[in-house]
Amino acid sequence: MKIASARLILCSPDRNFVTLRIETDEGIYGLGDATLNGRELAVAAYLEEHVIPCLIGRDPFAIEDIWQYLYRGAYWRRGPVTMSAIAAVDVALWDIKAKALDTPLYNLLGGKSRQGMLVYAHANGADIPGAIESVKRHIDQGYLAIRVQSGVPGVNASYGVPKGGKAYEPAERGLPSESLWSTERYLNFAPKLFEAVRMEVGEDIHLLHDLHHRLTPIEAARLGKSLEPYHLFWMEDPTPAENQDGFRLIRQHTTTPVATGEVFNSFWDAHDLIRNQWIDYLRMTIVHGGGITALKKAADFAAVYQVRTGFHGATDLSPVTMAAALHLGIAIHNFGIQEHMPHTPLADQVFPHHYRYEGGYMDPGDAPGLGVSIDEDLAGQYPYQRAYLPVARKLDGTLTDW
Ligand code: EZ4
Ligand code: CO
């Protein structure tokens, strides 16, 4: 079998997606997600101009070799644009191989290690009563693990809380919006939020919380300590992770479990965090981390240190990435939890898929390959539109991490 052609499908069914479709000379095709929220066309150009010409004529089964060819062969390594492009190729090739062998992709990754995969939903509210109401709605839908975000008094537009009661969506068309941030107000508020939620929902539901890289290590340590009575499943992205050593300080002060890695694009971003056991969950995502080939290695390394996975699963990752995460997650032994932020009905229609949610768990389904296709006619009705993530400023106007 040979790769005969490859092309990109850009569409915006409620949000932007960049999808790579690789065709073989035997009629089997594979899909890969190449979406990098707010920088979509950079990855599209990288693939179109620099990667696709190198793929034609290659054996699609030689996944490891093609991965190394695109990684080492570029000379310029890593970075979100490069690694998202490599991931798109990698996932499409795994899809092709599993379809050619007529088996669900998880069988090529070791086979099923469990029947279902624990997922967590997103609950949010403008204030504590709103957040509690949202948590209860998700409990009614059967979720056993729920991320809780709330508006902070005295801070307009908090991370994870949508405007106008809609589902939270991390992208907005037009130029970036700006929101305000106050660490002081947040640190005083967050323990009250989780105290109130625990009082309402009891001890059994897993609660998660995303700090979205906004604290310094010592601030995150204070937060982790103050949340210990409410035994969170994890606190996510407590501090930016460029300096991996910062997590040592957090770890010295609190037993609240730590998750990080959704912005990582290489195993090396997580190397110190894992080998020093400064984190409990690795949040890297298949699309931004270099594909299934790269994430399988990162997950296996993490397993040695009892670090489990919690792959990123926001709506800016397309159903192709969700399927890839589910196939890998169901196969590896150290799966921890999967983020589940459902796509809109329109996005689900553009990407028909076999993965399912039921009663707090998901599974990838048993269709050959990834089990995801794309309705290109429907996709064509929703062309790409420029969109950005917001930016954040402190109360005095200083730009800070959103
Ligand atoms: O802000 O995916 O845990 N989930 C998150 C997401 C990220 C977006 C960025 O594109 O932090 O909501
Ligand atoms: Co996050």
Side-chain angles (χ1 to χ4, degrees):
M1 200 189 304
K2 283 192 171 19
I3 296 174
S5 64
R7 62 191 166 81
L8 291 169
I9 303 152
L10 272 63
C11 62
S12 195
D14 296 326
R15 68 159 345 283
N16 289 321
F17 296 113
V18 179
T19 309
L20 176 68
R21 181 180 169 121
I22 299 182
E23 311 267 354
T24 64
D25 57 357
E26 293 184 16
I28 295 171
Y29 75 92
L31 295 180
D33 178 23
T35 309
L36 182 61
N37 202 2
R39 296 291 185 271
E40 294 86 356
L41 298 188
V43 187
Y46 191 106
L47 281 163
E48 190 82 51
E49 300 295 330
H50 306 295
V51 173
I52 289 176
C54 302
L55 297 177
I56 312 305
R58 285 181 189 278
D59 172 5
F61 272 34
I63 299 176
E64 179 72 26
D65 183 64
I66 291 175
W67 195 96
Q68 299 294 346
Y69 184 91
L70 295 176
Y71 183 78
R72 290 170 203 277
Y75 189 64
W76 312 108
R77 298 184 187 201
R78 304 169 55 177
V81 174
T82 297
M83 299 311 284
S84 300
I86 293 176
V89 175
D90 183 77
V91 170
L93 296 181
W94 280 106
D95 190 22
I96 288 171
K97 185 180 286 197
K99 282 176 179 163
L101 299 174
D102 195 26
T103 191
L105 177 47
Y106 60 74
N107 276 333
L108 307 187
L109 303 170
K112 275 191 185 180
S113 286
R114 58 193 54 77
Q115 290 314 308
M117 301 158 73
L118 180 68
V119 296
Y120 71 91
H122 284 206
N124 54 60
D127 52 18
I128 292 178
I132 289 174
E133 212 185 291
S134 175
V135 169
K136 285 183 173 165
R137 269 202 309 277
H138 287 93
I139 291 174
D140 290 344
Q141 293 166 27
Y143 284 101
L144 304 168
I146 302 173
R147 186 187 94 159
V148 189
Q149 307 293 137
S150 165
V152 177
V155 178
N156 83 333
S158 296
Y159 163 77
V161 181
K163 295 172 195 151
K166 287 195 232 145
Y168 173 65
E169 162 56 39
E172 287 170 12
R173 287 168 183 169
L175 293 176
S177 64
E178 299 204 0
S179 56
L180 286 181
W181 176 247
S182 161
T183 294
E184 296 73 21
R185 289 177 187 176
Y186 168 75
L187 285 175
N188 290 333
F189 170 75
K192 293 182 194 139
L193 168 66
F194 281 94
E195 182 186 17
V197 174
R198 271 285 174 234
M199 290 272 285
E200 280 289 328
V201 305
E203 301 292 332
D204 290 344
I205 291 284
H206 294 303
L207 298 177
L208 299 80
H209 186 55
D210 195 343
L211 285 65
H212 228 243
H213 327 269
R214 291 181 176 198
L215 303 181
T216 64
I218 200 67
E219 290 163 353
R222 170 182 154 192
L223 182 77
K225 269 176 99 162
S226 67
L227 294 179
E228 280 171 18
Y230 318 115
H231 53 90
L232 264 54
F233 188 94
W234 75 36
M235 61 174 182
E236 174 179 340
D237 291 336
T239 197
E242 284 95 332
N243 173 18
Q244 296 181 36
D245 228 51
F247 285 71
R248 179 207 306 268
L249 194 149
I250 299 171
R251 204 57 154 176
Q252 281 165 350
H253 291 284
T254 180
T255 56
T256 296
V258 175
T260 199
E262 67 181 46
V263 302
F264 294 178
N265 55 73
S266 158
F267 163 71
W268 295 105
D269 294 330
H271 183 225
D272 290 344
L273 296 176
I274 295 170
R275 72 194 174 97
N276 290 305
Q277 295 180 282
W278 291 334
I279 61 169
D280 301 280
Y281 295 92
L282 181 64
R283 294 267 301 140
M284 285 178 70
T285 171
I286 289 179
V287 52
H288 304 140
I292 291 170
T293 298
L295 266 284
K296 173 79 165 77
K297 292 173 187 176
D300 287 345
F301 181 84
V304 176
Y305 295 89
Q306 292 183 286
V307 173
R308 285 176 283 179
T309 63
F311 295 140
H312 192 201
T315 43
D316 47 306
L317 317 176
S318 93
V320 174
T321 287
M322 178 54 91
L326 293 171
H327 281 280
L328 179 57
I330 207 157
I332 55 179
H333 180 251
N334 59 325
F335 167 79
I337 198 167
Q338 172 64 49
E339 183 177 18
H340 177 41
M341 193 179 165
H343 290 100
T344 64
L346 178 62
D348 278 341
Q349 242 183 304
V350 167
F351 294 95
H353 52 258
H354 287 265
Y355 61 76
R356 294 179 290 250
Y357 166 80
E358 205 193 320
Y361 292 87
M362 288 181 81
D363 76 77
D366 294 316
L370 283 169
V372 183
S373 56
I374 181 165
D375 180 338
E376 290 198 50
D377 291 336
L378 189 59
Q381 293 171 33
Y382 300 94
Y384 165 82
Q385 292 184 33
R386 183 159 50 224
Y388 290 99
L389 289 165
V391 298
R393 292 187 187 277
K394 296 182 186 175
L395 299 181
D396 71 354
T398 306
L399 199 95
T400 188
D401 299 273
W402 172 71

